[in-house]
């Protein structure tokens, strides 16, 4: 189960709308969705949480590239919505790098006949994504939430805490 909402800053304060991410396939699609929420190119925050295991914040300021923060990359990696946010750049990888095994470098030692090292390979791939925050931890600094405060948030209450700090808890609650 996940929850996603858009918070758009306007002259009159924050406006919230819930959003379905089913039709969003890329980070660009998500940024476009956020931009549609604010015709005046004001700041829009996309807040996403999944089953109290991770949360993410995507900040879109006008036509600038989106800024992203994910509280637990490994937990987000197990989610289709987290996959949207975990770009190669965010994970410190070469864009377009293949995450799969290098077939030329595989040691085919007979395990292909039924024994499986697949679990070991999957574990190694999962370890490549940290069980820690990734992204721009200063994403909300100018809105009153410091890097230290953002990193200290627990996934189960992060979005409410962020909305409260922004003065947007009531509008977020209306779409929750």
């Amino acid at each position: 189960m996940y929850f996603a909402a858009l918070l758009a800053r306007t002259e009159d304060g924050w406006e919230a709308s819930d959003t379905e991410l089913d039709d969003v396939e890329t980070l660009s699609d998500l940024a476009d969705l956020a931009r549609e929420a604010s015709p005046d190119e004001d700041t829009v925050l996309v807040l996403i949480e999944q089953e109290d295991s991770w949360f993410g914040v995507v900040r879109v300021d006008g036509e600038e590239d989106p800024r992203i923060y994910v509280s637990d990359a490994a937990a987000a990696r197990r989610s289709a919505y987290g996959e949207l946010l975990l770009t190669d750049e965010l994970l410190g990888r070469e864009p377009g790098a293949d995450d799969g095994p290098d077939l030329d470098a595989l040691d085919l030692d007979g395990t292909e006949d039924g024994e499986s090292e697949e679990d070991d390979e999957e574990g190694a791939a999962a370890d490549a994504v940290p069980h820690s925050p990734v992204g721009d931890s200063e994403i909300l600094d100018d809105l009153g939430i410091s890097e230290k405060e953002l990193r200290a948030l627990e996934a189960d209450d992060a979005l409410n805490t962020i909305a409260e700090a922004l003065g947007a808890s009531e509008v977020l609650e209306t779409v929750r």
Side-chain angles (χ1 to χ4, degrees):
M1 193 72 192
Y2 81 96
F3 171 75
L6 297 173
L7 282 180
R9 185 165 51 177
T10 67
E11 291 177 1
D12 301 325
W14 292 94
E15 292 181 7
S17 57
D18 63 342
T19 187
E20 286 292 324
L21 298 179
D22 295 341
D23 296 331
V24 175
E25 295 180 8
T26 65
L27 182 58
S28 294
D29 293 344
L30 186 61
D32 291 343
L33 182 69
R35 288 183 184 103
E36 290 172 13
S38 179
D40 296 330
E41 296 188 4
D42 288 322
T43 298
V44 178
L45 300 176
V46 181
L47 304 175
I48 302 171
E49 70 179 4
Q50 183 133 19
E51 298 175 353
D52 297 335
S53 62
W54 68 274
F55 71 92
V57 178
V58 178
R59 179 177 177 159
V60 178
D61 293 299
E63 291 299 318
E64 293 181 27
D65 288 341
R67 296 167 56 192
I68 305 165
Y69 175 82
V70 176
S71 66
D72 183 334
R77 180 63 169 230
R78 295 186 295 270
S79 158
Y81 303 114
E83 283 286 326
L84 283 174
L85 307 181
L86 296 175
T87 63
D88 288 334
E89 181 181 340
L90 192 70
L91 295 172
R93 297 181 181 155
E94 277 296 313
D98 185 13
D99 291 336
D102 179 2
L103 297 179
D104 294 331
L106 286 179
D107 180 17
L108 300 177
D109 59 1
T111 58
E112 68 272 13
D113 291 330
E115 296 176 35
S116 175
E117 288 186 17
E118 189 173 326
D119 294 343
D120 292 340
E121 289 174 24
E122 287 177 2
D127 289 341
V129 178
H131 285 280
S132 62
V134 295
D136 184 352
S137 55
E138 297 175 353
I139 192 169
L140 301 173
D141 271 0
D142 65 326
L143 299 174
I145 301 171
S146 71
E147 175 181 1
K148 182 178 179 181
E149 292 168 324
L150 185 62
R151 288 181 170 272
L153 292 176
E154 296 292 327
D156 63 344
D157 196 41
L159 301 191
N160 291 331
T161 303
I162 290 169
E164 188 175 309
L166 298 174
S169 57
E170 288 181 23
V171 295
L172 182 64
E173 199 57 40
T174 62
V175 297
R176 204 176 254 285

